[in-house]
Amino acid sequence: MSVSFETRDLGKSKIERELKAARKIVALVGIPSDAKRHDDNPNIGLAEIAFIMEKGSAVNNIPARPFMKQTRTMNEKKVAGLSKKYLSSISTGKMSASDAIKKLGASYEGSMKRIFIEGSFAPDAPATVRRKKSSRPLIDTGLLRQSIKSKVAKV
């Protein structure tokens, strides 16, 4: 009596490729360096404004309003949970690495935009509140918030 074996790949190779690909890509979330203001001021773009808001400017008497740091702090557990869920989906062949990273980035993008409303920031100066007719820091025209984008990039 002879015994024979047949090897059939039922998706293992594809899953291994996707898991390997997942280690080579990341989701980038923030304000792109080419994001422009309404007035197209060539001296300072939205990415620079975001940096000033995040860190503050003693020279210009602007307190730090760290929307990026608050997003990270408030979403660490959520991101870890989604990462685990998406890794499971990749490892079972239900999702590509690119799709998983894209979904993770989109979720984080939404969280960063929400922090503009839900975050706790130093108040605006009275003159700023009068000018923009709102006491909510970081909210004026909405352009900075709308400029937050996510994208998948190779590392």
Side-chain angles (χ1 to χ4, degrees):
M1 166 158 98
S2 81
V3 177
S4 65
F5 294 93
E6 177 184 335
T7 302
R8 287 192 287 164
D9 185 345
L10 301 174
K12 179 179 177 265
S13 296
K14 179 184 175 199
I15 292 168
E16 286 174 341
R17 277 192 310 275
E18 289 298 326
L19 289 171
K20 187 176 180 181
R23 286 185 234 121
K24 296 180 180 181
I25 56 177
V26 294
L28 301 176
V29 182
I31 301 9
S33 61
D34 61 351
K36 302 290 183 213
R37 296 167 44 173
H38 282 304
D39 58 7
D40 292 321
N41 184 329
N43 297 321
I44 186 166
L46 287 172
E48 289 88 0
I49 290 171
F51 181 81
I52 292 167
M53 292 295 105
E54 185 73 17
K55 300 294 184 181
S57 171
V59 171
N60 295 307
N61 199 27
I62 300 171
R65 295 185 174 100
F67 65 96
M68 290 181 257
K69 182 178 181 183
Q70 284 189 36
T71 301
R72 186 178 60 248
T73 301
M74 292 176 75
N75 287 279
E76 284 177 327
K77 288 181 182 176
K78 177 183 175 184
V79 169
L82 284 175
S83 297
K84 185 176 179 180
K85 174 184 170 185
Y86 294 150
L87 183 58
S88 176
S89 293
I90 294 169
S91 66
T92 58
K94 295 177 183 171
M95 185 181 284
S96 71
S98 181
D99 286 345
I101 300 297
K102 187 182 284 185
K103 282 185 163 211
L104 192 60
S107 173
Y108 198 84
E109 175 185 327
S111 295
M112 189 176 288
K113 288 178 178 179
R114 253 187 327 282
I115 214 74
F116 278 61
I117 302 298
E118 298 171 0
S120 177
F121 303 107
D124 282 334
T128 304
V129 172
R130 283 191 300 277
R131 179 188 55 77
K132 69 181 196 175
K133 298 176 179 60
S134 170
S135 62
R136 185 72 191 152
L138 294 177
I139 302 284
D140 189 0
T141 65
L143 188 59
L144 183 63
R145 183 175 168 213
Q146 293 165 4
S147 296
I148 296 169
K149 303 289 181 218
S150 63
K151 72 176 187 175
V152 176
K154 292 181 180 183
V155 288

